[in-house]
Amino acid sequence: MGSPFNPLFGAGLNTPFGSGLGAANTLLGSPSPALSLLSPAPAPIANWIYVRARFRAFMENLKITAAQLDDGTKKQAGVRACLNRHYYGVSDEVANSFLMGSWGKATRVRPSRDVDILFLLPAHVHAQYQSRSGNRQSALLQEVKNVLLGTYYQTSMRGDGQVVVIPFNQTPIEVSPGFRCTDGSIIVCDTNNGGRYITSTAEAEEQSLSASDTFCIGNTRALARMMKQWQREQNLSLKSFMLERLALEFLQTWANNQRDHFWYDWMVRDFFAYLVGRANGYILMPGTNELVALGDDWLYQARRAHKHAVTACEHEHSNYGILAGQEWQAIFGSAIPLST
């Protein structure tokens, strides 16, 4: 972003009569001490004075509340303990499972839509269902749903493609049953098109995101969370995992990827320019090298967001705080403050 000071001010100040006191020296000779005291150089004027405060407040506003965190934590722990009691005979809230999605990758945005759990079933369950005919994966999801109904009998559940959905009032839980393979990979149920097992990318996604976030001093998760807010505000078809992968890929080559909040206005602006260029492209999923099509039905909103971001950055440079805030809110809604 260059110097935080306006280049029109400071050392080498230009005046209509020449170059600062240098012109006075030429016209009048060496200035007297009295003249020097009467003509101090004006203090430099800082630009971008609202950026840090605005984006720090924005990131705070995206955090889930303490009550939401407590509710989601208790609910997911209870579900994991229920499944562990049935399949392993232990009342453990962590074992044989891990969190996926925004909770697993620490990219959740207020309010959290759900908590995703991948629960690893014993190998003998896989062998049991392999001996059956028909849609084995659908039958397995139904079994897991019935196990959970024994504890959460007042909750209506459904098996939905790859997950069992427990629609708790405040924080729904989605459980993906799977198996750990001998090569270390994980396969999960997919009930579509007659049923099959697919390889999970959850662990590889979390590991690559964490590595990027560590290298980029927290900017990968921050950018992903901001883009999820944009996705939610504009009701986009782009999935959350797509935005996470795109944020990671963008920051791999963005020159300022290790800068702090002072650079977040440029980071957002440049990401939208990058996103526009990825229309009809693909992202490569870690762990499986699967190519996932991005499409382009979101392209209009991305171009619009980039236009607003460019204008917002210009206003931020000139310290037009309210004008900048209006442009940012056209992208992110009221989660980003109008003024600081």
Side-chain angles (χ1 to χ4, degrees), residues 16-32:
F17 304 102
S19 179
L21 293 179
N25 289 344
T26 302
L27 295 173
L28 303 174
S30 299
S32 67

Side-chain angles (χ1 to χ4, degrees), residues 220 223-224 226-232 236 238-249 271 275 283 294:
T220 308
L223 180 58
M226 287 189 283
M227 290 306 113
K228 286 185 179 186
Q229 175 62 24
W230 171 61
Q231 169 209 51
R232 182 175 294 183
L236 300 177
L238 277 171
K239 303 297 185 183
S240 294
F241 77 89
M242 294 176 175
L243 291 169
E244 291 166 351
R245 298 305 303 169
L246 288 165
L248 183 154
E249 292 173 8
F271 176 80
L275 181 60
I283 54 172
L294 293 169

